[in-house]
Amino acid sequence: MKLNRNFENLQQSYLFIDIARRVAAYKEKNPGTDVIRLGIGDCTRPLAAPVVQALAQASEEQGVAESFHGYGPEQGYSFLRAAIASYYARWGVNLAEDEIFVSEGAKSDVGNLTDLFDADNTVLIPDPVYPVYVDSNIMAGRRIEYVDGSRENGFCPLPGAAQKADILYLCSPNNPTGAAYTRAQLAQWVAWARQNGAVILFDAAYEAFIETEGVPHSIFEIDGAQECAIEVCSLSKTAGFTGTRCGYTVVPKALVRGGTSLNAMWSRRQTTKFNEVSYVIQRGAAAAFTPQGMAAGMENVAYYKKNAAVISGALTAAGVWHCGGKDSPYIWLACPGGLDSWEFFDLLLEKANVVGTPGAGFGKNGEAYFRLTGFGGAEQTAEAARRLQKLLESL
Ligand code: MLT
């Protein structure tokens, strides 16, 4: 028996597991310390009332023979796919219901989509970025090339004339930097993908945080993207579904390579390996798309962005370079005093009892940077910002 030796090329553990272990070890050694977690981007606001009502009602239905639901439609219930299609119509994007695949979240789909592609493909990944793209392709044994994000290019790297690859991941607004591609910039990547026959896997998980005029919420706002892109999105960060789990992936029917429809391939893959999101959760998700559900979601987005502004204020006061927090819940800062990102992680944990995420976990270009999230509670975030500023000013 042969194991998948590609696993030997992965970091020893997944970034956020690594951080959780270090924090647990610190807490064990220092019991009673008030550690504030601004590391993983996990929501703290509860589900909106219309979502909770829909979940409760759907649970009741499941207990009654006449309204009981067993296996559902393989791509998700029409009531939810129609709601998602209407949501996209807000950006002028027309989707057919059979281009939408309901999932249990963006993370698994961005990894699972690699099933569509041969191992003998080159994957292009911006650096820094959400580590799941890199890890999933290492597991599959694909060649990975990186396109460098930097302060100079505003962490929105663009294709070079000589850039070649088969698959490209883009995350906009970006996790971890908060940078968001403009329409003109995204159009450059779409033109590049079409020229090279490449497929873009576009992660739109943070689209609800966009406030800058002219920043697209969906790659399908760009002409020609339906022929070269797949989009993955999630209710995690917009409707607080990190623990409830529901997302969706759009695979346009116009996306064809070598005469084969990727929509048909993804449908084939999902029907074999995935058994739909539960009826109850899909009812809750549909409620998140109602006007009341969306208003509540946007209130939470505003709450998290206010937290990001509080963190940003502390960094500005301490004279620390940072970006993000505008179209994103994340603040991306330069580590002070020449520290690398894991050194700053330790310092912040030990001296201020605040947990963040070392930039190195998002790629080599994150080595001298650090991410803080606005997803915490307002009071804890204000306290963390106060401690952070005090620490920075003492260095
Ligand atoms: C993050 O903190 O980067 C995200 O919460 C991770 C995720 O969405 O899986």
Side-chain angles (χ1 to χ4, degrees):
M1 205 267 288
K2 287 185 183 165
L3 292 177
N4 181 351
R5 293 284 168 210
N6 294 318
F7 276 64
E8 290 165 9
N9 299 324
L10 292 167
Q11 302 276 350
Q12 201 185 355
S13 56
Y14 180 59
L15 175 63
F16 294 106
I17 301 295
D18 197 6
I19 292 171
R21 285 193 190 129
R22 286 175 191 236
V23 174
Y26 177 81
K27 285 210 62 153
E28 206 180 305
K29 266 204 216 141
N30 302 276
T33 41
D34 171 26
V35 171
I36 302 177
R37 292 166 201 264
L38 302 183
I40 191 162
D42 193 4
C43 293
T44 50
R45 304 290 303 147
L47 296 175
V51 172
V52 175
Q53 278 155 17
L55 291 170
Q57 192 190 323
S59 299
E60 292 289 332
E61 284 177 41
Q62 288 295 76
V64 176
E66 288 71 30
S67 55
F68 170 76
H69 290 77
Y71 291 126
E74 66 279 3
Q75 284 189 217
Y77 283 94
S78 180
F79 62 75
L80 178 53
R81 286 186 289 144
I84 295 167
S86 311
Y87 183 68
Y88 271 82
R90 290 161 53 130
W91 325 124
V93 175
N94 292 317
L95 298 177
E97 279 185 30
D98 58 1
E99 295 179 304
I100 299 166
F101 296 77
V102 174
S103 71
E104 47 86 35
K107 181 183 184 179
S108 21
D109 272 8
V110 290
N112 292 336
L113 279 162
T114 62
D115 276 5
L116 300 184
F117 308 101
D118 193 277
D120 184 20
N121 274 305
T122 300
V123 187
L124 187 61
I125 303 184
D127 176 337
V129 88
Y130 184 41
V132 174
Y133 317 149
V134 172
D135 284 4
S136 311
N137 283 286
I138 289 177
M139 287 177 195
R142 280 193 196 89
R143 286 181 302 280
I144 302 178
E145 287 181 9
Y146 297 93
V147 55
D148 290 328
S150 64
R151 235 187 264 193
E152 290 66 42
N153 61 24
F155 292 102
C156 285
L158 292 168
Q163 193 84 63
K164 294 270 176 262
D166 306 296
I167 302 160
L168 163 73
Y169 280 88
L170 289 180
C171 177
S172 180
N174 178 273
N175 177 10
T177 66
Y181 281 107
T182 63
R183 193 173 301 278
Q185 288 174 325
L186 265 191
Q188 284 192 45
W189 276 118
V190 167
W192 171 87
R194 288 166 64 90
Q195 242 163 35
N196 288 277
V199 173
I200 301 174
L201 303 180
F202 189 78
D203 184 346
Y206 298 94
E207 62 78 21
F209 289 80
I210 294 172
E211 66 181 50
T212 303
E213 197 64 38
V215 168
H217 287 247
S218 163
I219 195 160
F220 301 124
E221 291 179 55
I222 310 297
D223 282 346
Q226 301 227 2
E227 281 120 52
C228 67
I230 292 174
E231 180 160 301
V232 178
C233 201
S234 159
L235 279 84
S236 284
K237 316 289 159 128
T238 38
F241 270 53
T242 46
T244 305
R245 309 306 309 152
C246 194
Y248 45 93
T249 289
V250 177
V251 189
K253 284 182 284 189
L255 179 58
V256 174
R257 289 291 177 273
T260 301
S261 155
L262 274 75
N263 176 288
M265 282 178 78
W266 185 240
S267 170
R268 185 70 184 84
R269 190 264 177 215
Q270 290 297 79
T271 46
T272 300
K273 293 195 182 180
F274 181 63
N275 247 347
E276 316 99 43
V277 173
S278 79
Y279 170 73
V280 174
I281 300 295
Q282 290 194 58
R283 277 290 180 200
F289 284 103
T290 58
Q292 299 86 338
M294 285 211 278
M298 290 315 288
E299 261 174 46
N300 288 343
V301 165
Y303 176 98
Y304 297 136
K305 280 181 33 175
K306 211 163 157 191
N307 286 342
V310 168
I311 299 169
S312 171
L315 292 169
T316 303
V320 171
W321 182 93
H322 62 283
C323 63
K326 184 165 163 56
D327 298 310
S328 156
Y330 297 125
I331 296 285
W332 182 245
L333 59 123
C335 295
L339 295 175
D340 75 30
S341 63
W342 278 109
E343 286 168 345
F344 186 59
F345 172 88
D346 288 336
L347 185 78
L348 190 62
L349 179 57
E350 282 159 25
K351 300 277 188 245
N353 294 157
V354 173
V355 180
T357 308
F362 300 100
K364 73 171 173 33
N365 294 329
E367 192 57 67
Y369 293 90
F370 200 77
R371 192 192 80 176
L372 290 168
T373 164
F375 282 118
E379 257 178 52
Q380 289 89 338
T381 304
E383 170 60 15
R386 199 189 55 73
R387 293 185 201 169
L388 171 70
Q389 185 176 336
K390 191 164 161 222
L391 172 66
L392 290 168
E393 286 172 347
S394 74
L395 295 177

